[in-house]
Every structure is written in structure tokens, then in C-alpha cells.
Amino acid sequence: VVADIFGAGPPDPSVVDYEPPPRSFGFTSGNPDPSTIPEVRNHGYLVFGLIAASFGGTATAEGLATGILPARTRVAAVDLRGPSGSYDLPTIGDEILRAVRDDGGPAVVNTSLGFGCNSLLGCGTTESARQLARVTGLAWIDKVRAGGLENRFLHVASAGNVPNNPVTTASTNSPWCAAALLDGLPSLTNTLVVENAIPRAEPPYGARCLNLSSNIGGHLAAIGSNVY
């Protein structure tokens, strides 16, 4: 289950071709031919590609790559923009749980989103941000456990990526990060919070160190950019 921006409602995997042609799902935003699906430049299709795409047949780096489980993975989508233009985070959470229930079997949920920065939240550094994370994180925990779904899905959640990050913690990035990391909450056991690492040295960080934009305090780190 991918909760991300797709653009014109979530794609239907039963009618979208994973194999070329068309190359529907990309590994970098804006990479594939946009004539088949105009919204394919959006980040949701990047994630779909990393999961399940099968390209082949071209000499480019993308053309020599496939997703993690090409052609063997059922993929469901929650489009963050929703039918009315934009979902709020509680509604996104409801849609994620609906998709998990509808699937009927074990699932993996991917979320690359969070509260973001504004004058109130201060990129997760203020007491207001901690309180928002605490309230929404507890609400998410209650929904997951009330539905008996904690053991039904593994949730892989981004630690958060904030430009010019003042090095803030992942625990206040989103309800799902708070539900796994924030002190004082009855933490969910099905959530992994992933930091963004870089494969090359970029001052003041070295190779395989935390990206300049990534929050800290996640469970593990993944290499973040230009990786095929």
C-alpha cells in the first residue's frame, strides 16, 4: 500500500501495465514517458517503480533495472491529493487502514510524508509540534489496535525530509513516526522509521551518513538518491 501523490486519483494496477511498453512506473520523478499517464512524474509512481516495475531493453540505468518484486506484487495506492484536492493526515490514515483491510492478507505500507514545516510547528522543534505529534500519534495507535490490524501490516515510514533541516528528530514528523518513536506513547510494534542516507561524501557529511535534509532518530537508514 503506497500512500503518496499520484495526481489524478490512485492508479488501478489491474489496468496499468508494469511491463514496457508503456514504461508506466519510474525510478526518478519525471523519468518515464509522460504520454501514457500524464501524472507519472509524481512521486507515487517513483515508489511504485521501486516496488514493482519491470523495464529492460534500454541502455539507460533505469532500463537495466527492475523493482524489488516485479510482476509478483499486488500494489494498492492511496492518493494524497484525494478526490477533493488534498487529504489531511487523519484521512490518509483511514484510507491506509481501509486498503489493509480490503487486501485481506499481510501487507507492507509505505508513507513518505509528514507534517512539514510552518511557523507553528517549527520543523518539529517546538512544544506545539510535539503536542500535535503526541495527539495524532495516539489517535493512530488507537485506530490500528481497535481494528486488530497491528499484526496485519509492516509500516515503513519516512523519518522526514526538510530542506535546510536544523537537524530535528523523526518522532515529530508524522502520526506514524510518533506512534513508533515518541516517548510516553504505547508504541506500535509494526513500524520502521527510515532515515535518508547518501551514497557519496558531501560536506559536512561523509558517504553513507545522514542526508542534509533528513530527520534523525529513525530505526534504520536507507540510501536516498540516484540509486538504481
Side-chain angles (χ1 to χ4, degrees), residues 124-148:
T125 60
T126 66
E127 183 56 35
S128 295
R130 287 185 58 82
Q131 185 61 24
L132 176 62
R134 184 175 302 279
V135 170
T136 59
L138 184 59
W140 174 246
I141 292 169
D142 289 344
K143 284 183 178 180
V144 170
R145 289 184 173 155

Side-chain angles (χ1 to χ4, degrees), residues 76-211:
V78 174
D79 190 351
L80 269 55
R81 290 183 176 169
S84 61
S86 180
Y87 280 148
D88 55 33
L89 289 184
T91 303
I92 292 167
D94 291 343
E95 291 296 304
I96 289 171
L97 295 184
R98 178 194 56 76
V100 171
R101 285 192 298 268
D102 289 350
D103 180 73
V108 177
V109 171
N110 177 275
T111 50
S112 301
L113 64 150
F115 294 122
C117 287
N118 58 48
S119 58
L120 172 65
L121 298 180
C123 296
T125 60
T126 66
E127 183 56 35
S128 295
R130 287 185 58 82
Q131 185 61 24
L132 176 62
R134 184 175 302 279
V135 170
T136 59
L138 184 59
W140 174 246
I141 292 169
D142 289 344
K143 284 183 178 180
V144 170
R145 289 184 173 155
L149 298 173
E150 187 171 3
N151 294 325
R152 283 274 304 280
F153 69 100
L154 170 66
H155 192 164
V156 182
S158 167
N161 296 294
V162 180
N164 302 313
N165 190 356
V167 190
T168 59
T169 62
S171 62
T172 57
N173 177 62
S174 67
W176 14 94
C177 288
L181 296 173
L182 197 61
D183 292 342
L185 295 184
S187 301
L188 291 176
T189 59
N190 67 337
T191 303
L192 289 175
V193 179
V194 184
E195 299 172 355
N196 180 25
I198 54 175
R200 59 189 181 281
E202 289 183 2
Y205 299 99
R208 296 180 301 280
C209 287
L210 192 70
N211 190 293

Side-chain angles (χ1 to χ4, degrees), residues 11-115:
D12 180 355
S14 68
V15 298
V16 178
D17 193 354
Y18 289 93
E19 305 282 347
R23 297 190 179 103
S24 298
F25 300 148
F27 288 90
T28 57
S29 297
N31 174 55
D33 178 5
S35 64
T36 55
I37 303 176
E39 294 79 21
V40 80
R41 294 184 181 90
N42 288 322
H43 189 264
Y45 286 97
L46 160 64
V47 178
F48 262 33
L50 292 171
I51 294 170
S54 179
F55 293 148
T58 69
T60 64
E62 298 90 340
L64 298 174
T66 63
I68 296 170
L69 288 172
R72 299 194 303 274
T73 305
R74 297 193 313 277
V75 184
V78 174
D79 190 351
L80 269 55
R81 290 183 176 169
S84 61
S86 180
Y87 280 148
D88 55 33
L89 289 184
T91 303
I92 292 167
D94 291 343
E95 291 296 304
I96 289 171
L97 295 184
R98 178 194 56 76
V100 171
R101 285 192 298 268
D102 289 350
D103 180 73
V108 177
V109 171
N110 177 275
T111 50
S112 301
L113 64 150
F115 294 122

